[in-house]
Amino acid sequence: MVKIISWNIDSLNAALTSTSDRALLSQEVLRTIAKEDADIIAIQETKLPSTGPSGKHMEILNGYLPGYQTAFVSSNPPARKGYAGTMILYKEGMEATASVPRLDAPDTMDDEGRILTLETSDFYLVNVYTPNAGDGLKRLSQRQEWDKLFADYLSELDKTKPVISCGDFNVAHKEIDLANPSSNHMSAGFTDEEREGFTNLLAKGFTDSFRHKNGDVTGVYSWWSQRIKTSKINNSGWRIDYFVVSDRIRDKIKSSDVVDSGTRQDHAPIRLELDL
C-alpha cells in the first residue's frame, strides 16, 4: 500500500517560523499530516527563496515530519522571488529520483517552480501547482496553454510507467466541485476554458481519483477563501486539489479524500491510498 498526502501550504516559511494565528493553524495541520505516516508528502506554494529551504527551515520541518528525504524547486529569475515553488518529502530508504521538467510554457511559468517529478520503481509522482488565471482572468490564455502542455507531459510519462499527479490544479472541474457554481462561471478556476482543460487532461488516459472512489458526492471541498471569514463555517468551498492517476491503475485506488484541516481556511491536505 502506498499513501500520499498533498497540500498547498501557502508559504512554508510562514508555517514554520511565524507565530501568527494562521501559522499556528498551519502547524496544527503539519501535526495532522505527521500522524498519517505517509510514504510521500507533496507540498505546493512553498514561497521559498531560489536557494530553497534554509538549514533552519529543514530543522523545524524535520521536527514536524521526521524520517523523510527532500526534493524541492523554487521560483528563479526571471520569475518573481518567493513565488510559487514545490517540494516533495519521501520516506528515508525509498529509492527515487527527482527532476524538474520544463514545458516550454508561456511567460515565466517554467521558472516559477511549479512542477516537481519524483520517479520511483513503480510510478511517476508529479507534484504540480497550476498557474491561476488571476484577477480579471488576465492570465487565462496563458493558463490554457499551460493546461495543454502539462497534459502532454503527463501523457509522455504515462508511456513509460503509471503516473500519479497531485497538487493544486486551480480548477473546480464540475458544478458539484464548488458550493456556488451559478455565480462563478466567470471566476478564475471555474471558467469554461479551465474546466475544458481539465476534461482534456482526463481524456488523455487519466482519472480523477476522488470522483472514481466517491462518485457524485457533493459538499466535499479542499479550499475555502480566506477573504470571506465565514467561508469554511458555511462550507462555501471549492474542490481544486486533486490526485489524478493513470487510468490503468485507477482500480488500485483504495481511498481518495480530503484531510480535516480544522478551522484553517485556504487549502486542506488531500490523501490518496493505492494498493500497488
Side-chain angles (χ1 to χ4, degrees), residues 205-231:
F206 297 97
T207 295
D208 174 355
S209 64
F210 178 85
R211 287 290 166 218
H212 181 70
K213 291 304 293 184
N214 301 290
D216 289 337
V217 65
T218 58
V220 180
Y221 309 119
S222 65
W223 177 84
W224 300 263
S225 174
Q226 295 181 74
R227 297 178 182 178
I228 304 168
K229 290 184 178 181
T230 58
S231 66

Side-chain angles (χ1 to χ4, degrees), residues 102-194:
R102 295 181 71 86
L103 304 181
D104 196 21
D107 197 20
T108 59
M109 289 176 175
D110 274 338
D111 298 297
E112 293 166 6
R114 292 186 174 277
I115 310 176
L116 184 60
T117 298
L118 192 73
E119 181 179 1
T120 75
S121 58
D122 298 320
F123 58 87
Y124 288 104
L125 186 284
V126 182
N127 182 17
V128 64
Y129 175 38
T130 302
N132 193 301
D135 292 337
L137 303 178
K138 60 187 176 185
R139 221 178 186 189
L140 179 58
S141 62
Q142 295 172 337
R143 161 63 186 271
Q144 288 177 267
E145 182 64 18
W146 166 282
D147 283 344
K148 292 174 186 174
L149 293 167
F150 184 68
D152 288 343
Y153 171 66
L154 294 190
S155 186
E156 279 300 309
L157 292 183
D158 191 43
K159 293 176 182 178
T160 304
K161 63 181 72 170
V163 173
I164 303 165
S165 183
C166 64
D168 177 2
F169 281 73
N170 260 318
V171 61
H173 186 211
K174 300 179 179 179
E175 292 202 346
I176 55 174
D177 289 319
L178 71 167
N180 299 301
S182 60
S183 59
N184 279 296
H185 282 284
M186 293 303 294
S187 299
F190 196 59
T191 62
D192 290 347
E193 292 87 347
E194 291 162 299

Side-chain angles (χ1 to χ4, degrees), residues 46-75:
T46 54
K47 293 184 177 178
L48 293 174
S50 59
T51 50
S54 66
K56 186 66 174 178
H57 284 139
M58 291 309 302
E59 180 184 343
I60 299 170
L61 185 60
N62 289 336
Y64 285 107
L65 301 169
Y68 290 92
Q69 304 171 81
T70 307
F72 69 87
V73 58
S74 297
S75 184

